[in-house]
Amino acid sequence: MKNLVSILGCLAGLCACSSHDPILPGTRTAVFSTTQKNILNINIEQLPETSPKISAEQNEKCTYTQDQENVIWDGEKKVFSGFPTGNSVKSVKKPVCNGNYIYAGLTTGELVKIDAKNRQIAWIADVYRNSNMTGGATIVDIIAPIVINGTNIYAGGLGDALCKINDKTGAKTWCTDISVGLPFIVTQNAIFVVSTDDNLYAIRPNDGAIYWMSPIKKQITPEYHNKNIHVGNQIFDATTGSLIK
């Protein structure tokens, strides 16, 4: 999925989401209340020469599939059935596996962790901004690949949230007000994200603060090479965020 422009064209004319969790009882909780991005405007130290292929390796090892109705399949056997919703964009979703667990982003703006052996839900985490759940044509679909890095899960959705989640508990360490629809890059000292607001962001992993942001011409999956970020034919210095080409 190289270009998000055609996907975002599907957002108009859809009905609003409910304020109640479609899978678990009770009211859904906001991941954060502020609308301010914490932009530091500082350089990043000790970046690697190349980016680890975390997401690609996890996808290769996971044989489960997922359809547009939030159902996860093991061949022809259902492993998990979520709540179907029309509030989504057409995309090819694929769960991620780690040990005996399956992780999947849903059209309901939820990240779910499932025990593959007994098909029990370990936890569900909301990945969206609370204001996206009230009125309007809201899309909170999680279509960007989920990234597992050690004991942390990184998930971003179209509900204006990129979150770092504790793998054991499902609790959110932080969420940043960035809408994500494309694969993003996770390194030890920075996360690089192309957002739907036509900006490239460099995010600090420990607290979600933004090192720097730079405008981009097109929403294209970023690539990391020799401490540079390539977004289509644009090249950015990954340390400073300055445009090289």
Side-chain angles (χ1 to χ4, degrees):
M1 182 172 52
K2 288 291 184 182
N3 199 310
L4 194 60
V5 175
S6 60
I7 290 176
L8 294 180
C10 303
L11 300 185
L14 297 176
C15 60
C17 292
S18 167
S19 62
H20 293 281
D21 195 305
I23 296 176
L24 299 178
T27 302
R28 304 183 74 169
T29 57
V31 293
F32 45 12
S33 58
T34 179
T35 59
Q36 293 293 112
K37 294 183 177 71
N38 182 15
I39 303 176
L40 304 174
N41 290 318
I42 61 175
N43 295 345
I44 309 171
E45 298 181 356
Q46 297 180 332
L47 282 172
E49 290 295 330
T50 59
S51 172
K53 304 295 183 182
I54 300 173
S55 182
E57 291 175 357
Q58 290 163 352
N59 279 329
E60 289 173 2
K61 296 177 181 178
C62 199
T63 59
Y64 298 92
T65 59
Q66 179 179 354
D67 64 26
Q68 201 65 27
E69 300 298 317
N70 291 324
V71 179
I72 298 173
W73 299 85
D74 181 7
E76 296 183 353
K77 182 176 67 176
K78 286 185 181 181
V79 177
F80 169 85
S81 294
F83 184 82
T85 173
N87 291 31
S88 63
V89 297
K90 188 175 181 180
S91 62
V92 178
K93 297 174 181 284
K94 194 174 190 309
V96 169
C97 298
N98 187 34
N100 295 324
Y101 292 95
I102 310 165
Y103 304 77
L106 309 180
T107 64
T108 48
E110 294 161 307
L111 174 65
V112 60
K113 178 181 179 179
I114 307 155
D115 189 322
K117 289 185 176 180
N118 57 25
R119 298 186 291 176
Q120 295 297 308
I121 298 172
W123 49 253
I124 295 178
D126 289 331
V127 181
Y128 69 96
R129 175 172 289 288
N130 192 44
S131 59
N132 290 95
M133 302 303 295
T134 56
T138 300
I139 300 293
V140 293
D141 203 349
I142 300 175
I143 59 177
I146 299 155
V147 176
I148 304 172
N149 190 12
T151 59
N152 299 304
I153 314 294
Y154 294 94
L158 297 177
D160 298 329
L162 172 71
C163 299
K164 179 180 179 179
I165 300 165
N166 182 284
D167 183 24
K168 184 177 180 180
T169 65
K172 290 175 280 288
T173 305
W174 53 256
C175 288
T176 298
D177 181 18
I178 297 175
S179 190
V180 184
L182 293 171
F184 48 90
I185 300 165
V186 176
T187 70
Q188 182 176 356
N189 293 326
I191 304 164
F192 299 97
V193 179
V194 167
S195 176
T196 60
D197 66 0
D198 294 329
N199 282 300
L200 171 65
Y201 290 92
I203 301 167
R204 190 162 61 185
N206 65 328
D207 60 2
I210 299 169
Y211 286 113
W212 51 257
M213 58 179 287
S214 296
I216 55 173
K217 294 179 181 178
K218 292 182 179 180
Q219 294 174 31
I220 298 174
T221 299
E223 297 180 1
Y224 188 101
H225 302 289
N226 301 319
K227 297 186 180 180
N228 292 328
I229 304 294
H230 297 243
V231 183
N233 59 7
Q234 291 181 289
I235 302 176
F236 298 86
D237 185 324
T239 299
T240 65
S242 59
L243 181 65
I244 298 173
K245 177 182 177 183

